[in-house]
Amino acid sequence: MFKNMLVAWLFIGLCTHASAQDTHTLRGVIVDVNTQKPIVGANIIGKNLYAVSTENGEFTIGKMPKGTHRFEITHIGYGTEQLTIDVTGDLENVVVQLKEAVTNLDGVELMGKTEQRKAQELSTITVGVSKEFLENNRENSLMQTLRKIPGVSTITIGSGQSKPVIRGLGFNRVSVVQNGIKHEAQQWGNDHGLEIDQYGIDNIQIIKGPASLLYGSDAIAGVVDIQPPKTPMPNSFEGEVNLLGETNNDLFGISTGIQGRKEQWFYRGRLTYRDYGDYKVPTDRINYENYIFELHENHLRNTAGREANASFSIGFVSDHIKSETFFSNVNAKNGFFANAHGLEVRNSSIDYDSSSRDVDLPFHQVNHIKITNNTTFYRGDHTLQVDLGYQNNQREERSEPVPHGHMPTPPDSRERIFTKNTYSLNVQDTYRPNSEHDLIFGVNTEFQNNNIGGWGFLIPTYDRFTVGAFVFDHFRIHENLHMQGGLRYDVGLVDTRSHFDWWQTPINNPDGTTSYVYVQRAQDRRLEFGNFSGSIGLSYLNKNTTYKINLGKSFRMPLANELASDGVNYHMYRYERGNIDLDPEQSYQLDMDVDHSATKFNLGVSPFINFFENFIYLNPTPNYYETLQIYEYTQSKVIRFGGEARAGINMTDALRLDASVEYVYSRQTSGPKKDFTLPFSPPLSGLFSASYQFRDIAFFKSPQLMADLRVTAAQNDIVPPEEKTEGYQALNISAMTGIHLFGAENPTQLRIKLNNVFNTEYYDHTSFYRLIDVPEPGRNLSISMTVPF
């Protein structure tokens, strides 16, 4: 009965054209106030409305409801203009005149926020993610929110954590950048998420493909670039309160942000708190290592958690300088599914089912402090950007003190402690000698100091220093044909510290005697790396169609865990051993993209082919250490290809349909796993979406209904110890509307989402818990509100 009601609701929402909102069209032209010549590439930005002026300075904005609309018109080199219009019907021949300005920082920033034209001119495959997209698709973590973007998937760790995967590659092969500084934590681990508050983010640029040229090591597969918010308008103050509740894990979340500006000084602040219980799965038992674990009321026991985040920034802007300093602290405590941690829970005295909100052992807690400064100097043809960053990541992993092998009972629950300090400096000068060239000269440096503690050992204490220099040129061959290319060289040093067990292990000597020794797990080693990287590409804009091709070489320095790990990873129930002789990964990739956008429809395809000379991965061996299978880091040649295809059409002014599909093929062509794929390879997947825009109903403003159906094929192409994963279909539906509360000018945004509508039991091949046969969360109803003030 419930399924029938939902299907009927969806059918009515998608097919009732009679309730569509009456909309109108605005057409105009952008010209220079002095010369009256048309201005190409000007941005016309309104609330959920956007256009870019053509080579004739013309623009068109359709689907505008009746009422008052406000627009900002911006272009580099011109001052920002405001346009307010009352829409009662179609508007024609609207003329907007822009005045030249030596520097207009607000205009530059708005260009950086939308950048439709700039993205078309780049040869790299770049996807812009707006604040509206983030709000409308908000999930439990930032990367889960971004899953609707073709080619982007996640490695999920429970209900509150995840890490990015771009075209089948994740961990430290995807660089996450926030406010110009690369996010550095313990993201190398399967069970380590990103310590980033997803609230307060206005704009994200996702680069799919090699990006080491501008971002350095760890950008070998792509970049998630979280860009600074736009500068507030002069003499302004605004804020918002975000409320979120979910039924699956009884989550409650609140986030409050404010920002304001006088003339030249501005500030921002945000507080976020989230508390959630164990999430529910559509099964009552889990089979792990041939043990059957019964689940109490479908709760995946001990997956509760809580987060408390705070951030603040202060900035200054004038004609020739803009500077902003950010302070943030992210604190989280999350439980691990108790039955997954070395099976000790079978002998535990903890009552995991006494409360679904307890965070019992095993759990991890992390505190991430980040201080960054972004300063831009504008001097004629030069724009100098300086980014400074300091990060402190304090991570503790706690579990019950249980002896293993020759280890005596540990003294406490502090299994592993990581304390990582990272210092970053990026300097780049953008020089425009003429209208054809934009030259960028840059240097990136980073120093990491990582200390360890606790009774369990996996990676040693280490220092890591990297420095890279690059040159990049954007050459405008003519208005619609652009070439980009550059070269980069990096050097890196890794110093590991020796480590010995804190207990003695018996060793049988050749003469029949027994010695008791402190086994050495790591050595004092100093490793040096150096590598060239570069790229060259073309983009061609032909009316409504954009063509791109880009060839890039990227690299990645081996991490400390890949070089020098030597211990038990109880979260994965295995023994992991590094390889001190690993070489840096080197990758060659060819990307192409064709995108066509018309008034009623759009379509595009983005294929790629990728070759790794020496891909690093953790290989299971036939050897065992104290009953645990030994996994060793090794390297192999790898060939990969695949891509994404997308299409969308406006069936009517109210109904829009979208579809996308993504596929990655990977094959190891050498090494011990020759002819196998790579770990965590995502299967063929498609996403089909429909949205319907209603007219205003009573006090509901522009209500909208959306439905997403994800169809994923089976993943039978695996590498041991992975298991094959069956395909699935999962339906999510959502509704959103604006509501004017308390006479406020800006409406409150209300969103209602129902994920996994039919409570389908399915498995995500790239999930952290897939290896222990834990399905994805069951049905979840979430209600969120954004209240502006």
Side-chain angles (χ1 to χ4, degrees):
M1 180 65 180
F2 179 71
K3 290 183 179 181
N4 292 337
M5 292 176 63
L6 288 172
V7 171
W9 180 28
L10 179 61
F11 179 81
I12 292 172
L14 296 179
C15 300
T16 308
H17 294 187
S19 60
Q21 169 177 314
D22 294 331
T23 59
H24 303 281
T25 300
L26 167 66
R27 293 183 175 88
V29 63
I30 311 295
V31 299
D32 186 291
V33 67
N34 294 317
T35 66
Q36 293 299 302
K37 291 183 178 180
I39 299 175
V40 60
N43 291 269
I44 303 92
I45 306 167
K47 180 66 174 179
N48 300 324
L49 298 170
Y50 172 69
V52 177
S53 60
T54 66
E55 59 185 345
N56 297 321
E58 298 173 348
F59 68 93
T60 302
I61 299 177
K63 297 196 298 184
M64 295 178 56
K66 292 182 178 180
T68 300
H69 295 267
R70 295 177 177 85
F71 296 89
E72 285 185 346
I73 297 88
T74 65
H75 191 282
I76 292 179
Y78 289 88
T80 299
E81 291 293 332
Q82 308 293 325
L83 174 65
T84 301
I85 57 174
D86 293 317
V87 176
T88 57
D90 292 344
L91 295 174
E92 304 283 348
N93 302 320
V94 175
V95 178
V96 179
Q97 302 182 89
L98 298 185
K99 297 179 181 179
E100 279 191 312
V102 175
T103 301
N104 187 295
L105 297 177
D106 290 336
V108 171
E109 183 137 15
L110 284 168
M111 280 291 291
K113 182 176 188 299
T114 55
E115 291 191 335
Q116 179 177 338
R117 173 75 184 193
K118 183 177 178 181
Q120 290 176 325
E121 294 176 354
L122 292 176
S123 60
T124 53
I125 312 304
T126 305
V127 179
V129 182
S130 66
K131 182 177 181 180
E132 180 184 9
F133 177 95
L134 295 170
E135 291 179 345
N136 293 344
N137 297 278
R138 182 110 43 211
E139 298 290 347
N140 276 315
S141 66
L142 175 61
M143 291 315 305
Q144 288 171 323
T145 300
L146 299 177
R147 283 193 64 187
K148 289 184 67 174
I149 298 172
V152 178
S153 54
T154 64
I155 297 175
T156 56
I157 309 108
S159 61
Q161 303 177 80
S162 62
K163 58 181 56 187
V165 174
I166 295 179
R167 291 174 165 174
L169 298 178
F171 299 95
N172 278 66
R173 293 181 181 90
V174 174
S175 184
V176 179
V177 177
Q178 186 173 28
N179 300 332
I181 298 297
K182 185 166 63 175
H183 182 79
E184 287 290 355
Q186 302 291 341
Q187 62 265 36
W188 53 268
N190 297 55
D191 50 331
H192 303 165
L194 292 176
E195 299 85 9
I196 293 178
D197 186 355
Q198 66 173 319
Y199 290 96
I201 297 175
D202 282 354
N203 179 37
I204 300 176
Q205 297 295 320
I206 296 178
I207 300 175
K208 295 187 286 186
S212 292
L213 173 62
L214 296 179
Y215 293 89
S217 180
D218 298 355
I220 197 168
V223 177
V224 178
D225 190 348
I226 304 170
Q227 300 188 342
K230 66 179 181 179
T231 305
M233 298 296 290
N235 301 307
S236 66
F237 173 83
E238 61 183 355
E240 64 179 23
V241 177
N242 297 276
L243 301 172
L244 173 64
E246 297 188 351
T247 60
N248 182 277
N249 58 353
D250 299 326
L251 177 145
F252 170 75
I254 181 171
S255 182
T256 301
I258 59 170
Q259 66 174 15
R261 175 178 169 182
K262 292 299 184 180
E263 292 297 329
Q264 295 180 314
W265 290 93
F266 61 94
Y267 61 91
R268 317 177 204 270
R270 180 166 291 273
L271 296 173
T272 300
Y273 180 78
R274 287 160 35 100
D275 190 296
Y276 52 91
D278 301 340
Y279 71 91
K280 294 185 282 291
V281 293
T283 185
D284 57 4
R285 61 183 58 192
I286 299 295
N287 184 343
Y288 176 44
E289 295 288 333
N290 295 320
Y291 291 94
I292 302 296
F293 298 101
E294 303 289 340
L295 300 183
H296 177 66
E297 297 180 351
N298 300 98
H299 286 280
L300 199 66
R301 56 177 61 93
N302 204 45
T303 55
R306 51 184 174 268
E307 302 171 19
N309 311 321
S311 63
F312 175 76
S313 76
I314 185 168
F316 176 83
V317 58
S318 69
D319 288 342
H320 300 292
I321 186 175
K322 176 188 172 186
S323 181
E324 186 169 10
T325 302
F326 299 85
F327 306 85
S328 68
N329 190 87
V330 175
N331 184 279
K333 181 179 181 180
N334 310 92
F336 288 116
F337 174 42
N339 298 110
H341 193 85
L343 302 178
E344 290 106 342
V345 72
R346 292 173 298 159
N347 304 314
S348 175
S349 60
I350 298 175
D351 184 1
Y352 288 100
D353 298 326
S354 62
S355 171
S356 64
R357 305 196 77 86
D358 286 346
V359 181
D360 296 308
L361 297 171
F363 67 82
H364 66 173
Q365 56 188 23
V366 62
N367 192 83
H368 192 91
I369 298 173
K370 183 182 295 185
I371 304 173
T372 62
N373 174 266
N374 307 126
T375 300
T376 305
F377 301 93
Y378 300 90
R379 291 292 184 270
D381 295 331
H382 291 267
T383 301
L384 182 65
Q385 176 73 40
V386 180
D387 300 321
L388 289 167
Y390 167 73
Q391 299 173 74
N392 173 268
N393 185 271
Q394 179 71 31
R395 178 185 178 87
E396 293 190 11
E397 299 179 2
R398 293 178 175 261
S399 64
E400 290 191 78
V402 177
H404 298 276
H406 299 292
M407 179 199 299
T409 301
D412 52 41
S413 65
R414 304 175 75 188
E415 179 184 343
R416 290 201 294 253
I417 301 172
F418 303 104
T419 302
K420 185 176 184 179
N421 294 289
T422 303
Y423 305 85
S424 305
L425 169 63
N426 304 322
V427 180
Q428 70 176 41
D429 178 28
T430 301
Y431 172 53
R432 191 174 190 182
N434 51 52
S435 60
E436 285 78 33
H437 290 273
D438 283 336
L439 293 168
I440 302 178
F441 304 90
V443 176
N444 310 116
T445 63
E446 184 180 85
F447 175 75
Q448 299 175 14
N449 169 253
N450 196 64
N451 295 289
I452 63 171
W455 49 262
F457 175 81
L458 186 56
I459 68 171
T461 294
Y462 70 87
D463 292 334
R464 185 175 190 253
F465 175 75
T466 60
V467 59
F470 67 90
V471 58
F472 175 84
D473 184 23
H474 182 153
F475 175 32
R476 299 170 182 84
I477 300 174
H478 64 68
E479 183 178 353
N480 292 322
L481 180 61
H482 300 256
M483 175 184 289
Q484 297 93 36
L487 288 173
R488 179 188 181 99
Y489 185 73
D490 287 82
V491 294
L493 301 175
V494 177
D495 282 323
T496 63
R497 305 288 188 269
S498 62
H499 184 89
F500 294 83
D501 285 341
W502 57 274
W503 73 93
Q504 292 182 325
T505 297
I507 303 295
N508 295 324
N509 299 318
D511 60 1
T513 62
T514 300
S515 300
Y516 291 86
V517 300
Y518 295 97
V519 175
Q520 185 171 7
R521 300 290 183 183
Q523 301 176 354
D524 288 323
R525 293 293 298 268
R526 179 182 176 88
L527 302 171
E528 299 181 4
F529 303 96
N531 210 282
F532 277 102
S533 57
S535 70
I536 187 169
L538 285 169
S539 65
Y540 176 59
L541 289 71
N542 182 18
K543 296 182 180 179
N544 294 329
T545 306
T546 303
Y547 304 89
K548 297 184 179 185
I549 184 169
N550 192 78
L551 177 64
K553 176 188 181 292
S554 287
F555 83 103
R556 184 181 70 86
M557 287 176 49
L559 305 176
N561 62 301
E562 297 166 332
L563 294 166
S565 60
D566 190 16
V568 177
N569 187 343
Y570 294 107
H571 298 303
M572 304 303 295
Y573 202 50
R574 66 194 183 198
Y575 194 97
E576 298 180 6
R577 183 170 291 159
N579 182 350
I580 205 72
D581 296 321
L582 293 175
D583 295 320
E585 285 184 341
Q586 298 190 72
S587 169
Y588 303 86
Q589 183 159 321
L590 178 66
D591 286 280
M592 292 173 285
D593 181 76
V594 179
D595 184 87
H596 179 78
S597 298
T599 304
K600 293 291 186 180
F601 70 94
N602 67 278
L603 54 89
V605 60
S606 303
F608 75 92
I609 184 168
N610 174 219
F611 174 70
F612 276 88
E613 285 189 347
N614 41 17
F615 186 87
I616 300 173
Y617 68 100
L618 194 58
N619 177 49
T621 72
N623 303 317
Y624 284 78
Y625 180 87
E626 296 181 354
T627 75
L628 293 175
Q629 187 177 10
I630 297 176
Y631 285 60
E632 295 180 343
Y633 283 98
T634 188
Q635 294 184 287
S636 67
K637 297 181 185 296
V638 172
I639 185 73
R640 305 170 61 249
F641 62 83
E644 305 85 44
R646 56 203 178 273
I649 184 170
N650 295 318
M651 302 297 293
T652 69
D653 288 341
L655 176 63
R656 178 173 175 83
L657 303 178
D658 288 280
S660 64
V661 63
E662 54 193 87
Y663 175 71
V664 175
Y665 173 89
S666 302
R667 190 65 58 211
Q668 300 185 47
T669 60
S670 68
K673 288 296 185 291
K674 182 180 179 181
D675 297 328
F676 281 95
T677 186
L678 295 177
F680 290 104
S681 291
L684 173 67
S685 179
L687 181 65
F688 304 91
S689 304
S691 63
Y692 193 86
Q693 180 72 62
F694 293 86
R695 65 181 182 182
D696 292 353
I697 303 174
F699 52 85
F700 296 112
K701 305 300 180 183
S702 301
Q704 188 177 27
L705 180 66
M706 296 187 296
D708 298 325
L709 177 65
R710 183 169 291 278
V711 180
T712 300
Q715 181 54 288
N716 298 317
D717 192 14
I718 61 172
V719 56
E722 291 181 341
E723 296 182 359
K724 295 181 179 180
T725 302
E726 296 181 356
Y728 66 88
Q729 301 84 43
L731 176 66
N732 304 321
I733 60 176
S734 61
M736 59 190 68
T737 185
I739 304 175
H740 284 284
L741 296 179
F742 315 115
E745 178 181 357
N746 296 320
T748 293
Q749 297 298 318
L750 172 66
R751 307 172 193 87
I752 302 174
K753 297 181 63 176
L754 186 64
N755 286 350
N756 196 359
V757 172
F758 300 119
N759 203 36
T760 304
E761 181 180 351
Y762 69 95
Y763 297 84
D764 184 346
H765 190 74
T766 63
S767 171
F768 170 69
Y769 286 138
R770 172 65 187 98
L771 293 177
I772 57 175
D773 287 330
V774 173
E776 292 303 291
R779 183 184 298 115
N780 180 43
L781 175 66
S782 67
I783 301 176
S784 64
M785 295 181 66
T786 299
V787 184
F789 59 86

